[in-house]
Amino acid sequence: MTPSPSSNEPKTPDSSPLQGAVDASVSATSPQSGQKRLNAILLKIFSQAEFNLVLIILVIFVVLTKFGGTHTDFSSGRTISNFFNAGSLFLVATNTAFFAIMAVGMNAVIVTAGIDLSVGSINCLAGVSTALVLQAMTNAHMTSPVQIVAIGIICSLGVGTLCGLANGLAVVLLDVHPFVITLGMLWILRGIAFILTKAQSINMPQSMINFVQAPLGFHGGLMPVPMLVTIVVAIGGWFYMSKTAMGRRIFAVGGNLEASRYSGIPVKRVIVGVYVLAGLTAGIAAFLSTGYYGAASSQDATGYELYVIAAAVVGGTSLLGGRGTVIGAVLGALVIELIRESITILHLDSNYQQIIVGVAIITAVVLDRAGDKMRHRRMVMAQARIKESAASSA
Amino acid sequence: MDGAHVVVTGVTKRFPGVLALNEVSADFLPGECHALMGENGAGKSTLGKLLAGLYQPDVGKICLNGQICHFNGPLDAQKAGIGIVHQELLFCENMSVSENLSLGNIPTKFGQVSFSTMKKRALDWLELIGAKVNPDTLVGNLPIAQRQLVQIAGALGSGAKVLIFDEPTSSLGLEETHRLLEIISKLKSDGVTCIYVSHRLDEVFEICNRATVLRDGKLVGTVEIKATTKEQLVSMMIGREVTFEMSGNFTGSQSAPPLLEVNGFSSLGKFSNINLAIRPGEIVGLGGLIGSGRTEVLEALFGLDPAVKGTVKVHGKPVHVHTPVDGLKCRMALSSEDRKRNGLVLSMNCMENISMPILDRLSRFTIIQERKERSVSQKYFERMRVKAPRLTTPSAALSGGNQQKLVLAKWLGTDGEVFLIDEPTRGVDVGAKAEIHNLIRELAAEGKAVLVVSSELPELIAVSHRILILRLGKIAGEVPANLATEELLMKYMTGLAA
């Protein structure tokens, strides 16, 4: 009876309602007309939820390249852009990597309508406990690089997973809102890190640093490992969320917990699972960041949870649950990092950084929603046209 | 209290892609109860909402006592004396009845909220309709029927001369419906203009003087209730004659072992000592007033009540069902009374809703096999005749009847054998009702055991082979389909017969 309002427009990664309109417009066109088919393909690209983000990122790229200024490279003597050069871009990618990886886990949590405020602390605890274990190994003269890296991976991922498991079990068994549980864990885990390290910074063994900083054939001090891991995690996360049964259940639980329970979905297991995922990704980020920076301390990753949540939200994940994409969350992390970066590149007063980031996050989300609304309107119009043409042909 | 003469002339309302109302005219007299009828999507609720100022007409005008009105919002309509009793009741559930009644106009004394004035006002207003509701109760703790009374009291108290009831009885039990209808009759005799939006024929015939029927946004006609019959009204609504087909008595093998057998089924404070047996192919109706424990029995059978005692046998084998996961394993299927809350995930499309309980079966190494998911869902989607442009249409876009069919399709996909169906056609229009009844019969014909709960007695009688009546948590009687009449069932429900 009432027209479907855009507010409850359903969205899951592989079933955008636009898909319907697009498919319909494709089938409505005759197969011979290549122009129309091209239009349909273009419409499909534009109608992806992430398209707005890609647009925002491109705009920032252009602005930074155009207004970032240039400097003379002293080895080659050529004039190069302050922003659009390999070194800067790798730096952006690396800084994004740590947030983006955690945003993959956070996306899953927020899709279930939960929240995890403890990912920064999990990251920190995973980092320092790995550093301590590796330090003990070094002291015990177990210095084989393979052993160090393997134990490093197992330890950081393991601690992250265990912390996530603790979060998930607490949320499910104590039946307290995840905001409260993970807010408590934010302090508890950082407190444990503080006690373990006795407030000291602990250096990482050189073989782990070498692993994370491996140039893999790049020259000029470029370090692609964090970026590559991010890509792998993003693809893995995308696959998990949109192609597997567990991923689908995450969307179901976030969309309607009661209906999921009534459908025989093990709701509690799904909820524990997403916190484990958030912990695991925090552990991966911890392994990379401690290896990259060469040390771990109990002050690491302070406030990261807010960046990670912001990345997911900017990426289109709904805090009400049931809606969000992994790719969106990763792009959201990139947007935030680019905005931070632009303050340096554009020589803005860095004292204003927090204000600029805050305004930018709100603006990005508002723009994203505006794009959604526009696309929704287009879809409604398209459907109406299809209906009318069907009616006139009948 | 006096009413107002409301005249609607040539109103048209267009929503994106839908012409909801197409040059509709009607008039509503003081002291009459005027029904607005039509199938879902016919435009009856839209007309009600136009009158209440929730929508604005694109073309056409609304006159109140001869004066043209322009309502920019519900507040304007309220000032003009038009109140609406909503399908979805709008209240601040965390506040008391008296606070809710004064929300728009909080009485103050020396700048402080005067709770005594507020309470007195609430008592006065509730008295207008003789409602016995404690004004200090939190609205969230009131049953729906009483919330409706509060809403009516609020509308009258703030000076409404015209009251629009938008499907007021869709979630009420028989007794509450009766009480509401009595109140409407009283309002009517006080001269209030009552506009009753509903597709329940019995109620319309009980209290309404005239009925205006809409179909696909167009006016079909206005008729005097006294000069018409139910059949005529139905054929006006749907453009063809429909009477509920009857399932009749069970004709399958009487000696076949029961598919579902329940003995000594009890849950403290909900129901006690329920015994029932359903043979393959049999449809058993479960009737009773609201609160008699009907829904609770179904939910307990499906594993939603961990405290339940008694034995349940499926195919003669005892089963222990403590969670819905167990229920699913024992091939039970529960289509719950509130499909939006417990039935569907509205943010997902039709296919995803159908495949939700069977993802394990559809995936290999936990990866969903898309082709298999599509073909399996398609099968049940078509089998249940869900009307949607395609399998990937968002479930939120479907009409109530099709959402209900989608829920049944979901359970058909699980290879369920025991179908527990709670209110199969709540908020579903007449044509779709008959179709859902047929689908239920088809399920039974495939050898499933079906247990149906319904508040609508004609439906219960039409669809069941035999009917069990629950009263105060106990089985009060059993009636075979050929002997079932509404009067007899009512007697069992209210304890007049035993």
Side-chain angles (χ1 to χ4, degrees):
Chain A
M1 171 82 288
T2 48
S4 71
S6 58
S7 60
N8 58 13
E9 175 193 334
K11 266 230 169 86
T12 49
D14 46 359
S15 74
S16 136
L18 275 149
Q19 213 77 16
V22 173
D23 290 353
S25 63
V26 173
S27 59
T29 58
S30 63
Q32 304 97 313
S33 60
Q35 183 58 41
K36 278 188 179 172
R37 193 189 288 172
L38 181 71
N39 284 350
I41 292 170
L42 285 179
L43 184 63
K44 195 160 191 165
I45 293 170
F46 292 151
S47 63
Q48 288 300 315
E50 291 82 12
F51 182 71
N52 296 339
L53 284 170
V54 174
L55 213 61
I56 292 172
I57 290 168
L58 284 178
V59 169
I60 299 177
F61 258 75
V62 170
V63 169
L64 290 187
T65 310
K66 196 157 167 51
F67 300 105
T70 56
H71 65 272
T72 311
D73 188 45
F74 47 100
S75 60
S76 65
R78 277 184 302 183
T79 307
I80 54 172
S81 161
N82 281 344
F83 171 71
F84 206 73
N85 66 70
S88 292
L89 295 180
F90 264 73
L91 194 66
V92 169
T94 309
N95 287 340
T96 307
F98 310 130
F99 296 138
I101 290 171
M102 289 199 273
V104 172
M106 185 63 80
N107 172 59
V109 171
I110 299 181
V111 165
T112 64
I115 193 88
D116 190 344
L117 296 174
S118 68
V119 287
S121 299
I122 295 180
N123 182 316
C124 165
L125 181 59
V128 299
S129 38
T130 306
L132 286 168
V133 168
L134 296 186
Q135 192 182 45
M137 281 174 68
T138 314
N139 291 344
H141 304 292
M142 295 164 65
T143 49
S144 134
V146 177
Q147 272 182 356
I148 292 276
V149 170
I151 297 292
I153 292 176
I154 292 170
C155 189
S156 44
L157 269 56
V159 170
T161 307
L162 284 179
C163 294
L165 185 65
N167 273 335
L169 289 176
V171 167
V172 165
L173 297 179
L174 303 180
D175 198 19
V176 174
H177 194 281
F179 189 99
V180 179
I181 298 284
T182 58
L183 182 64
M185 290 297 263
L186 178 152
W187 278 303
I188 295 172
L189 298 177
R190 194 167 289 280
I192 296 173
F194 184 75
I195 288 173
L196 286 179
T197 56
K198 305 189 180 68
Q200 301 289 312
S201 177
I202 298 150
N203 289 329
M204 282 293 178
Q206 194 56 42
S207 42
M208 180 153 152
I209 297 174
N210 290 342
F211 179 78
V212 176
Q213 298 189 347
L216 299 182
F218 283 90
H219 299 291
L222 303 179
M223 300 166 201
V225 170
M227 184 169 70
L228 292 176
V229 173
T230 308
I231 293 172
V232 170
V233 170
I235 293 174
W238 165 79
F239 187 82
Y240 185 78
M241 291 297 279
S242 54
K243 299 287 170 192
T244 70
M246 275 316 275
R248 181 70 65 74
R249 292 193 182 110
I250 292 171
F251 280 100
V253 168
N256 187 342
L257 188 132
E258 279 301 300
S260 305
R261 195 162 74 93
Y262 274 61
S263 297
I265 289 178
V267 172
K268 290 186 175 172
R269 228 190 300 160
V270 171
I271 291 177
V272 173
V274 294
Y275 290 94
V276 169
L277 216 57
L280 174 67
T281 51
I284 298 174
F287 174 80
L288 292 175
S289 60
T290 50
Y292 187 79
Y293 296 119
S297 88
S298 63
Q299 293 309 305
D300 285 353
T302 306
Y304 270 32
E305 55 280 345
L306 297 182
Y307 282 109
V308 174
I309 293 169
V313 171
V314 169
T317 310
S318 162
L319 288 170
L320 300 174
R323 186 193 133 167
T325 68
V326 169
I327 306 300
V330 170
L331 292 178
L334 182 57
V335 168
I336 291 174
E337 185 52 38
L338 280 173
I339 289 163
R340 273 158 49 109
E341 205 67 32
S342 57
I343 291 157
T344 328
I345 304 252
L346 298 177
H347 302 292
L348 303 174
D349 187 344
S350 65
N351 292 320
Y352 289 91
Q353 179 182 339
Q354 291 171 326
I355 297 175
I356 294 171
V357 169
V359 169
I361 287 174
I362 295 174
T363 313
V365 172
V366 170
L367 282 180
D368 182 44
R369 296 296 178 273
D372 266 2
K373 267 183 201 146
M374 244 164 60
R375 280 185 281 119
H376 179 74
R377 223 178 17 239
R378 261 210 313 265
M379 181 193 74
V380 171
M381 305 269 280
Q383 281 177 340
R385 270 201 305 277
I386 293 162
K387 236 177 229 166
E388 268 165 34
S389 69
S392 63
S393 69
Chain B
M1 286 183 272
D2 23 75
H5 188 191
V6 184
V7 181
V8 177
T9 2
V11 289
T12 295
K13 179 72 187 170
R14 186 185 281 277
F15 293 121
V18 194
L19 190 57
L21 285 177
N22 189 358
E23 294 183 25
V24 172
S25 303
D27 72 312
F28 307 94
L29 300 169
E32 86 164 339
C33 181
H34 193 127
L36 279 182
M37 305 193 72
E39 288 195 293
N40 286 354
K44 55 185 190 306
S45 283
T46 308
L47 185 53
K49 283 179 182 156
L50 279 178
L51 289 171
L54 291 163
Y55 298 146
Q56 283 70 47
D58 299 335
V59 187
K61 57 185 182 184
I62 298 170
C63 291
L64 200 68
N65 284 340
Q67 280 187 321
I68 297 181
C69 299
H70 292 287
F71 302 142
N72 290 319
L75 266 181
D76 289 350
Q78 235 172 58
K79 275 184 202 142
I82 300 182
I84 184 165
V85 177
H86 255 294
Q87 213 165 353
E88 272 108 38
L89 303 150
L90 305 169
F91 278 120
C92 300
E93 300 198 354
N94 56 339
M95 293 177 137
S96 73
V97 169
S98 57
E99 284 167 319
N100 267 290
L101 285 179
S102 291
L103 271 186
N105 175 21
I106 296 171
T108 54
K109 200 185 248 175
F110 311 121
Q112 289 188 351
V113 176
S114 165
F115 284 97
S116 55
T117 317
M118 216 190 254
K119 188 167 173 181
K120 189 173 173 305
R121 181 188 290 171
L123 283 172
D124 289 349
W125 289 4
L126 290 166
E127 186 55 40
L128 286 177
I129 53 166
K132 288 182 192 68
V133 179
N134 181 353
D136 295 329
T137 326
L138 291 188
V139 166
N141 294 340
L142 285 180
I144 286 186
Q146 296 207 359
R147 291 189 206 190
Q148 253 172 1
L149 296 184
V150 175
Q151 220 174 18
I152 298 170
L156 288 177
S158 50
K161 291 173 263 176
V162 180
L163 265 184
I164 302 159
F165 296 87
D166 193 359
E167 312 240 10
T169 56
S170 61
S171 38
L172 297 189
L174 276 171
E175 216 168 332
E176 290 111 345
T177 301
H178 234 77
R179 289 243 309 278
L180 180 72
L181 297 186
E182 268 170 27
I183 287 172
I184 295 177
S185 306
K186 185 172 167 294
L187 293 175
K188 204 166 74 169
S189 59
D190 288 346
V192 177
T193 313
C194 297
I195 300 173
Y196 196 78
V197 182
S198 177
H199 42 221
R200 291 203 177 170
L201 290 165
D202 296 340
E203 293 161 12
V204 168
F205 270 78
E206 193 176 332
I207 56 161
C208 293
N209 308 75
R210 290 192 299 160
T212 292
V213 180
L214 300 174
R215 193 198 307 154
D216 300 330
K218 288 194 200 102
L219 180 72
V220 179
T222 300
V223 289
E224 292 280 339
I225 291 291
K226 275 186 190 142
T228 187
T229 62
K230 289 183 188 177
E231 288 72 23
Q232 271 174 349
L233 263 188
V234 168
S235 66
M236 279 174 83
M237 277 159 68
I238 60 177
R240 65 196 139 95
E241 302 279 344
V242 163
T243 44
F244 280 161
E245 204 181 312
M246 306 298 264
S247 296
N249 281 3
F250 185 54
T251 51
S253 161
Q254 298 286 342
S255 58
L259 177 51
L260 175 74
E261 202 179 346
V262 177
N263 283 306
F265 209 48
S266 308
S267 180
L268 198 64
K270 293 180 183 166
F271 52 85
S272 64
N273 198 25
I274 304 289
N275 301 310
L276 59 89
I278 309 178
R279 286 173 291 243
E282 193 178 22
I283 307 170
V284 174
L286 196 56
L289 300 175
I290 283 204
S292 61
R294 310 170 307 190
T295 299
E296 288 77 359
V297 169
L298 292 201
E299 292 193 336
L301 281 171
F302 191 65
L304 286 157
D305 180 358
V308 77
K309 292 191 179 64
T311 60
V312 178
K313 288 182 192 166
V314 176
H315 280 307
K317 283 194 204 96
V319 293
H320 299 278
V321 184
H322 299 297
T323 63
V325 181
D326 297 339
L328 200 63
K329 266 186 209 138
C330 300
R331 302 178 73 178
M332 301 224 190
L334 174 68
S335 156
S336 68
E337 61 180 326
D338 189 342
R339 56 183 167 263
K340 290 200 170 146
R341 216 171 89 83
N342 304 328
L344 297 175
V345 179
L346 292 175
S347 57
M348 305 205 304
N349 65 32
C350 296
M351 177 178 78
E352 291 165 332
N353 269 293
I354 296 176
S355 63
M356 194 160 52
I358 49 169
L359 284 173
D360 280 331
R361 218 178 70 201
L362 296 176
S363 47
R364 187 188 282 166
F365 311 119
T366 151
I367 298 164
I368 299 171
Q369 295 176 283
E370 282 174 29
R371 195 171 298 169
K372 198 167 168 189
E373 182 184 23
R374 188 167 278 273
S375 68
V376 169
S377 319
Q378 183 77 38
K379 186 171 141 201
Y380 299 112
F381 184 75
E382 283 169 6
R383 177 80 188 63
M384 285 291 116
R385 299 192 280 278
V386 182
K387 278 194 211 94
R390 57 182 62 76
L391 193 56
T392 49
T393 301
S395 57
L398 300 187
S399 70
N402 281 307
Q403 286 184 344
Q404 193 70 45
K405 291 188 218 163
L406 191 60
V407 173
L408 290 178
K410 175 178 84 174
W411 288 116
L412 209 57
T414 64
D415 278 337
E417 288 205 306
V418 179
F419 272 73
L420 312 164
I421 305 178
D422 201 353
E423 300 288 3
T425 64
R426 169 171 292 173
V428 168
D429 57 56
V430 182
K433 264 184 189 178
E435 204 179 346
I436 289 172
H437 293 173
N438 279 332
L439 290 173
I440 293 174
R441 287 185 197 106
E442 284 171 30
L443 287 177
E446 285 174 19
K448 325 256 188 220
V450 184
L451 187 57
V452 181
V453 162
S454 177
S455 295
E456 287 179 51
L457 293 180
E459 168 168 287
L460 204 60
I461 294 169
V463 84
S464 319
H465 292 129
R466 73 189 149 96
I467 298 157
L468 297 173
I469 306 295
L470 274 182
R471 189 175 116 74
L472 305 174
K474 289 194 179 74
I475 291 185
E478 179 175 339
V479 185
N482 63 337
L483 298 180
T485 59
E486 290 183 47
E487 290 73 27
L488 182 61
L489 296 186
M490 217 29 227
K491 278 183 182 166
Y492 278 115
M493 288 181 186
T494 51
L496 292 175

